[in-house]
Amino acid sequence: MMLLPTHHFRDIERKPEYLQPEKCVPPPHPGPVGTMWFIRDGCGIACAIVTWFLVLYAEFVVLFVMLIPSRDYVYSSINGIVFNLLAFLALASHCRAMLTDPGAVPKGNATKEFIESLQLKPGQVVYKCPKCCSIKPDRAHHCSVCKRCIRKMDHHCPWVNNCVGENNQKYFVLFTMYIALISLHALIMVGFHFLHCFEEDWTKCSSFSPPTTVILLILLCFEGLLFLIFTSVMFGTQVHSICTDETGIEQLKKEERRWAKKTKWMNMKAVFGHPFSLGWASPFATPDQGKADPYQYVV
């Protein structure tokens, strides 16, 4: 039996009997409706906690070192509202990216009954994952951390302790965007604060001692610069991936394009929802992904 060269990394069989469905246990019963998705990975949980700690550290320095001690109440109020709003949206996006099912394929669905339900025709191909014993939809890949096949998997991100896939890519893009914005905002405020403190007495520009103030601001500056660069690059690569309708894994493996080509605008709406609205920028607005096509498992 010939294997297609572009799919040498997958198990591909042309007839259902070759998939050995008898070796697959029936899929587990689905959990209650609304069950929260959460990956129990020690490294990912630690990275997620560090992410929240760094955002809250920035909140502490911005509020208690720069804004609250300031005598310019208009400046403090405007910047405080803007920074806290962006930080809230960043953390909300992080939670949605972490706790949303990225598009996991039902585990162990490579059973005889499910394969027969696909009503395969001669020459049609189905993909079986030997690791999670699932029939793969087109463009799905197996994640060794999540231990599941994920639809349109881009990559596994430890910072959100989850895969970035079909159902949560919007939240990951918003997370990188809002982190980049609060990092830029924090850097600008640190610059203005240093100028203000150089012009006046250091003891009057902060409620902390001058050495403590300098250390806190330098640490915030380093954090802001590092995360501004990192999240800006990630945001750019994600937007490019969405516009070209090609995931990071597909680009890395140079997979042959087997799906219909759409315009960049249609690709953006497929991720962020139809039609264009302010909901695109909201982590609380769930994009309409449409219903799964049962024939996406075969080609």
Side-chain angles (χ1 to χ4, degrees), residues 240-294:
H240 177 266
S241 175
I242 294 171
C243 290
T244 58
D245 193 20
E246 192 175 23
T247 66
I249 291 181
E250 290 165 349
Q251 294 175 17
L252 183 65
K253 293 186 174 181
K254 295 181 171 55
E255 294 187 17
E256 179 185 357
R257 191 181 187 96
R258 304 178 307 280
W259 52 92
K261 189 174 183 179
K262 297 179 290 187
T263 64
K264 295 179 180 179
W265 185 243
M266 286 299 296
N267 291 331
M268 291 291 288
K269 289 197 291 185
V271 172
F272 290 94
H274 300 263
F276 172 76
S277 67
L278 289 177
W280 280 28
S282 171
F284 303 103
T286 302
D288 181 15
Q289 298 288 350
K291 295 183 179 179
D293 182 2

Side-chain angles (χ1 to χ4, degrees), residues 29-225:
H29 294 290
V33 177
T35 300
M36 183 178 65
W37 172 274
F38 183 75
I39 301 301
R40 294 174 177 84
D41 174 59
C43 177
I45 293 173
C47 288
I49 292 174
V50 169
T51 300
W52 274 69
F53 172 78
L54 292 174
V55 173
L56 294 177
Y57 170 78
E59 279 273 3
F60 170 78
V61 177
V62 168
L63 290 177
F64 295 100
V65 177
M66 292 190 287
L67 296 183
I68 293 179
S70 175
R71 287 171 292 187
D72 189 340
Y73 299 112
V74 175
Y75 171 86
S76 298
S77 300
I78 294 176
N79 281 281
I81 292 173
V82 172
F83 187 85
N84 279 280
L85 177 62
L86 294 175
F88 171 75
L89 291 173
L91 294 178
S93 300
H94 183 271
C95 284
R96 291 301 302 271
M98 179 171 61
L99 303 177
T100 298
D101 181 348
V105 178
K107 198 172 185 178
N109 69 348
T111 59
K112 183 178 180 180
E113 293 76 13
F114 181 76
I115 296 170
E116 290 177 349
S117 71
L118 296 177
Q119 299 179 346
L120 298 178
K121 299 177 181 178
Q124 286 186 316
V125 178
V126 291
Y127 305 152
K128 173 193 172 185
C129 176
K131 298 177 181 178
C132 62
C133 213
S134 298
I135 299 298
K136 285 187 178 182
D138 196 21
R139 304 184 69 184
H141 293 85
H142 185 85
C143 174
S144 59
V145 180
C146 296
K147 296 179 174 59
R148 300 285 290 274
C149 285
I150 307 296
R151 292 186 179 91
K152 292 186 68 175
M153 175 182 169
D154 187 85
H155 69 288
H156 184 91
C157 178
W159 296 106
V160 298
N161 188 35
N162 202 0
C163 275
V164 178
E166 184 178 70
N167 294 343
N168 68 342
Q169 189 172 27
K170 170 191 172 179
Y171 309 125
F172 182 76
V173 172
L174 292 180
F175 168 66
T176 58
M177 182 183 74
Y178 287 126
I179 289 293
L181 289 175
I182 64 173
S183 299
L184 178 62
H185 191 193
L187 287 173
I188 293 174
M189 286 191 289
V190 168
F192 278 114
H193 199 74
F194 267 121
L195 292 176
H196 173 71
C197 291
F198 282 134
E199 293 175 356
E200 295 189 8
D201 188 356
W202 275 85
T203 58
K204 296 180 180 180
C205 68
S206 174
S207 56
F208 295 89
S209 64
T212 303
T213 300
V214 171
I215 292 174
L216 292 174
L217 291 178
I218 290 177
L219 288 176
L220 178 60
C221 190
F222 177 76
E223 175 194 339
L225 185 61

